Amino acid sequence: MPDLGISVLFRGINFQRLLLGLWVTLRIALITIGVSLVLGLLFGLLMLRKNRLSRGFCRLWLEIVRFMPQLVLLYLVYFGFARLFGWNLDGELSAVLVFSFWGTAEMGDLFRGALTSIPKHQRESAAALGLTRAQINRYILLPQTARRLLPQAINLSTRIIKTTALVKMINVTEVLKVGQQIIGQYYREPAAAFWVYAAVFLLYFLICWPISLLAGWLEKRYQDGPAAGAA
Amino acid sequence: MEPILRVKEIQKSFDGTGVLRGVSLEIHEGEVIVIIGPSGCGKSTLLRCINGLEKIDGGEIWLRDQKISGLEKDLHLVRQKIGMVFQSYDLFPHMKVMDNLLLGPTKALKRPPEEVRAEAMEMLKRVGLGDRADALPRTLSGGQKQRVALVRAMLMHPQLLLLDEITAALDPEMVSEVLNVVIDLAEQGMTMAIVTHEMRFAEAVADRVLFMEQGVIAEEGTPEEFFREPRTERARRFLQSFTYASARKLGKRPLGSGEQREEAET
């Protein structure tokens, strides 16, 4: 049987190297998701403040994040900061900074949306029961916000994981970069490129697919039904 | 006897428009008052002001010997004594029926859950929902939801219950199952202030009818007086809007006002 090139994956420690690269990918993604979750909640609360200054500030942040390609931001922080301020930021740190800057704004907007989508009757009927403001938050608003937010937050997480592929552009050796290194070593076997990229694809897929399934399942499970709003 | 609730000359405006323009009323223990009037007359706002969901701009509200208008910090303590049910289905969708019922008594009043649970079960059975304790609100019909909302309010043992158009969002066939529960509560001696558009129900349940228009109480009387012979022209016109007449069936007019009948005969 002719060697189709797939054996490249299992030669030497190639497969372990890919897994190690995947770990770098996940490490960046996980730290980013954690930071975005915490700061995103603060960002969301800031967006809900009546103060026009804080709302304007959030609006601006969110717009920048939405219009600016992540790659440009990465270059700006990794190369730009080095030139301008003489900060030689580590690639991984730059990546976490840029992705968290993005994730915080997106997560904050999701949080704000989830909280404001709860009908005001919910707060009022809880107040009418004589619950304190803290009790209303704890038993009524927070659980419902979490249920609305969770599926969307998970979807954002898969987007963050996928976007980490960009960090190879600032010399972080994550899974895609490792793959390219392997391909480089086996330049005499053209089929190697296909199998290595396929393996990288599969690794992303195996991580993101179950997460996405989870989001869909949660969404269905937490649906309150159309009657919740009332006609 | 001293009234449970005294509302003195209260004023409320939204964006400069006067919604309540000097409303006064008293409710005595065991009394059921029904407030009717055209949309926008201020009747819902009146109820919302009584339990502090809206702040009043002038006047005073007293619950027995406590002035409750203008309270900030202890508003929740007042609301524990005044129950309220709204038009929309406001059960908490993430909690089972029983958890909806337990929340107020156990968290606000700190009563032991087991004791409340037994009482809640008893009341659920009474309104015909004994088998739905573990159901999620979204699986209930609109009428069932409102019955649960009534039980939830009653479990707080309120001194006064406010009902704000609680059947307005329901399909017609579900209205009576909810209103029968209210009539049952009235017969048990519950003190209530009810805003409704269901005139027959109002006539059946009210001790006193208040007719509101343009932010004031335009007329007040027993249901017999009010529905048979309203004294003001405005009330008469309002009541007429609930009757229909077709020229095809002249002579078979529904119960309208005297004037209208005279006109038809000439």
Side-chain angles (χ1 to χ4, degrees):
Chain A
M1 202 174 97
D3 182 2
L4 293 173
I6 193 170
S7 64
V8 163
L9 294 176
F10 308 103
R11 258 179 248 164
I13 54 163
N14 285 354
F15 199 70
Q16 286 96 310
R17 284 171 67 197
L18 276 179
L19 287 183
L20 222 59
L22 186 67
W23 168 236
V24 174
T25 296
L26 286 180
R27 194 165 58 202
I28 294 172
L30 288 176
I31 296 173
T32 300
I33 292 165
V35 172
S36 302
L37 210 54
V38 175
L39 294 184
L41 295 192
L42 294 176
F43 188 91
L45 290 175
L46 208 59
M47 283 183 99
L48 289 168
R49 292 269 304 266
K50 289 216 175 71
N51 187 322
R52 285 173 61 179
L53 198 70
S54 72
R55 273 192 324 202
F57 168 75
C58 293
R59 202 73 249 171
L60 186 71
W61 184 340
L62 194 59
E63 296 298 321
I64 290 175
V65 159
R66 292 215 168 131
F67 292 131
M68 183 84 116
Q70 313 295 341
L71 189 56
V72 178
L73 269 183
L74 276 176
Y75 283 158
L76 185 78
V77 169
Y78 185 69
F79 298 115
F81 282 13
R83 294 285 163 82
L84 194 64
F85 310 115
W87 298 349
N88 280 304
L89 297 181
D90 165 53
E92 234 179 284
L93 178 64
S94 305
V96 168
L97 280 179
V98 166
F99 294 148
S100 298
F101 178 74
W102 161 52
T104 295
E106 293 267 15
M107 195 71 83
D109 197 40
L110 292 180
F111 176 63
R112 181 199 55 78
L115 191 59
T116 50
S117 72
I118 297 173
K120 79 171 177 58
H121 310 116
Q122 287 288 311
R123 183 192 287 276
E124 286 185 350
S125 42
L129 281 176
L131 297 175
T132 62
R133 191 182 286 262
Q135 285 172 328
I136 296 171
N137 283 335
R138 178 168 162 205
Y139 297 113
I140 307 303
L141 299 182
L142 260 161
Q144 292 193 62
T145 303
R147 278 153 196 254
R148 281 159 208 243
L149 180 61
L150 210 54
Q152 294 171 303
I154 292 174
N155 281 331
L156 177 60
S157 300
T158 59
R159 276 165 61 209
I160 290 176
I161 295 173
K162 285 187 294 183
T163 311
T164 55
L166 291 177
V167 301
K168 84 169 199 57
M169 307 298 289
I170 54 169
N171 302 323
V172 177
T173 318
E174 45 66 79
V175 65
L176 186 59
K177 182 87 177 175
V178 172
Q180 290 178 329
Q181 287 172 348
I182 295 174
I183 291 166
Q185 285 167 4
Y186 297 93
Y187 62 92
R188 266 187 271 254
E189 302 175 47
F194 175 81
W195 292 110
V196 170
Y197 283 134
V200 171
F201 165 78
L202 197 68
L203 288 174
Y204 272 112
F205 183 77
L206 287 178
I207 301 278
C208 291
W209 190 49
I211 298 178
S212 158
L213 284 182
L214 177 69
W217 181 76
L218 284 173
E219 198 153 15
K220 211 177 262 167
R221 199 192 137 154
Y222 287 153
Q223 234 166 30
D224 295 329
Chain B
M1 199 176 56
E2 199 196 340
I4 285 189
L5 185 84
R6 275 177 298 158
V7 172
K8 296 181 183 168
E9 282 296 314
I10 63 167
Q11 317 254 350
K12 173 73 189 174
S13 45
F14 292 111
D15 302 323
T17 313
V19 178
L20 296 179
R21 301 182 301 147
V23 172
S24 300
L25 64 93
E26 289 187 350
I27 307 177
H28 290 84
E29 180 136 21
E31 194 181 22
V32 177
I33 66 159
V34 169
I35 305 161
I36 63 176
S39 316
C41 69
K43 52 197 194 303
S44 284
T45 306
L46 174 61
L47 292 195
R48 292 170 61 83
C49 286
I50 291 174
N51 89 338
L53 286 175
E54 306 288 351
K55 283 197 181 67
I56 55 175
D57 302 328
E60 288 179 0
I61 304 173
W62 290 70
L63 184 68
R64 292 196 199 269
D65 50 5
Q66 185 191 9
K67 184 177 164 212
I68 60 173
S69 51
L71 280 181
E72 290 278 348
K73 207 162 75 319
D74 292 332
L75 204 52
H76 66 282
L77 296 177
V78 171
R79 288 177 178 145
Q80 289 170 10
K81 300 177 203 160
I82 303 179
M84 183 156 183
V85 180
F86 302 81
Q87 168 181 337
S88 54
Y89 319 133
D90 38 38
L91 296 184
F92 307 126
H94 59 300
M95 296 179 176
K96 290 176 180 169
V97 166
M98 182 54 78
D99 296 324
N100 264 278
L101 299 179
L102 293 181
L103 187 69
T106 59
K107 302 302 177 195
L109 302 178
K110 316 271 186 229
R111 287 175 57 196
E114 282 324 304
E115 179 193 309
V116 184
R117 191 183 296 272
E119 192 190 344
M121 210 54 225
E122 197 65 30
M123 290 178 72
L124 273 183
K125 282 185 193 145
R126 203 178 162 118
V127 302
L129 294 172
D131 56 338
R132 307 314 300 271
D134 290 322
L136 278 169
R138 68 163 178 268
T139 64
L140 303 182
S141 72
Q144 291 174 326
K145 283 180 196 172
Q146 287 301 62
R147 280 184 277 160
V148 173
L150 281 166
V151 171
R152 188 174 69 181
M154 286 304 294
L155 275 170
M156 296 293 290
H157 302 305
Q159 299 180 13
L160 168 68
L161 186 59
L162 310 172
L163 306 182
D164 187 9
E165 299 195 37
I166 60 168
T167 58
L170 295 183
D171 290 333
E173 72 271 20
M174 291 172 181
V175 169
S176 68
E177 70 187 45
V178 174
L179 296 185
N180 279 326
V181 172
V182 179
I183 286 178
D184 193 34
L185 292 178
E187 278 163 7
Q188 292 169 49
M190 188 66 217
T191 313
M192 292 187 274
I194 303 172
V195 167
T196 186
H197 282 297
E198 302 288 335
M199 293 304 139
R200 281 162 185 256
F201 162 70
E203 202 170 348
V205 79
D207 294 315
R208 196 146 50 94
V209 177
L210 308 182
F211 173 69
M212 279 185 75
E213 197 183 42
Q214 291 175 351
V216 294
I217 294 176
E219 184 168 343
E220 180 177 349
T222 65
E224 292 77 24
E225 291 164 4
F226 181 79
F227 288 105
R228 298 283 169 270
E229 297 199 44
R231 291 190 303 272
T232 59
E233 177 56 30
R234 293 192 290 189
R236 208 168 294 146
R237 258 186 283 122
F238 176 72
L239 287 177
Q240 257 173 34
S241 69
F242 286 88
T243 62
Y244 299 89
S246 161
R248 287 198 302 125
K249 301 187 178 176
L250 265 184
K252 283 168 113 188
R253 283 200 179 282
L255 285 174
S257 74
E259 285 167 44
Q260 205 187 5
R261 209 165 295 144
E262 280 163 30
E263 260 174 61
E265 280 162 10
T266 50

